Amino acid sequence: MDKTTKPVMVLVRPQLGENIGKAARAMLNFGLTEMRLVAPRDGWPNPSAGPAAAGADMVLENAKVFDTTAEAVADCAHVYATTVRKRGVTKPVVGADGAAQLIHAGAGRHAVLFGPERSGLETGDVALARHILTVPINPEFGSLNLAQAVILVAYEWSRIGREQAEAGGRALPDLVQPTAEDALPPASQAELDGLIAHFERMLEPKGYFLPETRAEATRRTLRSVLTRPGWNHLEVRTLRGILSTLEREPKA
């Protein structure tokens, strides 16, 4: 994918090395690799970032440090400020999906600003942005940690990119959708009949099918219950094993 379609993730005055590492992990999950740090509180590099990145070392190793937000986004034509609060600056507001569409459509570099964990972006940071980026969130608890905010933006950027690539017949980004667990083949009728017969053999001595006038209807209901779920052969074998265990005489 063209470098210009990959947004730069700018962490403004991040406070904890662990959070920087987690943000790097979130970025690399979706193929984003360019991180910029503005005046990290504890300096850089930070020994706490590496373990938290869980393998996203390339993002941390290539991270660039700037003294000011303006310097960090000087080469970017489009800047988005993530914030849930009004800062006295009137700008167009987009969601993470809307920002992703603009990033894929607009020429030039795009940067997304994320503020400090406790206070968020300052008015001066937001003033540098072309758009405010926010997401619908619980008004009674609007607190996202840094990595959560990063992964929301990164995911939507990836999702929109894949949709546009598929619609345009272009190559998809190098991301892999985890495969669903392979389904086992359904149990055969003979296996189900064996399971039903096993249940009947155990229930008969306990008087389950009494009175006799209801026995046939009760057996039909039992068969309906045991055939409805679409058991596979492993599940049927497991149930048979349970029934066989229940049949055994208790050990002395």
Side-chain angles (χ1 to χ4, degrees), residues 1-178:
M1 182 173 290
D2 191 312
K3 180 181 178 182
T4 60
T5 68
K6 290 189 174 185
V8 179
M9 308 302 252
V10 183
L11 311 187
V12 180
R13 297 179 295 280
Q15 297 171 322
L16 297 174
E18 291 92 337
N19 289 343
I20 297 173
K22 291 175 182 178
R25 180 181 184 180
M27 288 171 58
L28 197 56
N29 280 153
F30 296 99
L32 299 180
T33 57
E34 190 169 353
M35 172 185 283
R36 297 181 184 179
L37 306 174
V38 176
R41 185 189 67 180
D42 298 333
W44 191 258
N46 187 311
S48 299
D57 299 315
M58 64 172 293
V59 177
L60 299 179
E61 291 168 359
N62 295 322
K64 296 179 181 178
V65 180
F66 298 84
D67 292 329
T68 67
T69 307
E71 291 172 331
V73 299
D75 64 332
C76 297
H78 310 275
V79 180
Y80 307 83
T82 61
T83 180
V84 295
R85 293 188 292 271
K86 294 181 180 179
R87 300 286 181 171
V89 180
T90 303
K91 294 182 181 293
V93 177
V94 294
D97 55 343
Q101 292 171 345
L102 291 172
I103 291 169
H104 284 288
R109 300 305 316 273
H110 295 251
V112 184
L113 304 179
F114 300 88
E117 293 89 327
R118 289 187 179 181
S119 58
L121 294 169
E122 295 180 355
T123 302
D125 301 315
V126 179
L128 295 169
R130 307 285 181 88
H131 291 82
I132 288 175
L133 194 167
T134 189
V135 296
I137 199 166
N138 181 2
E140 297 180 1
F141 190 73
S143 175
L144 287 178
N145 67 37
L146 182 57
Q148 288 173 330
V150 170
I151 206 166
L152 275 173
V153 174
Y155 168 75
E156 286 296 338
W157 170 82
S158 171
R159 182 181 67 82
I160 295 296
R162 292 181 65 84
E163 287 181 357
Q164 292 183 357
E166 289 176 343
R170 302 188 304 274
L172 296 175
D174 293 332
L175 298 176
V176 177
Q177 176 73 28

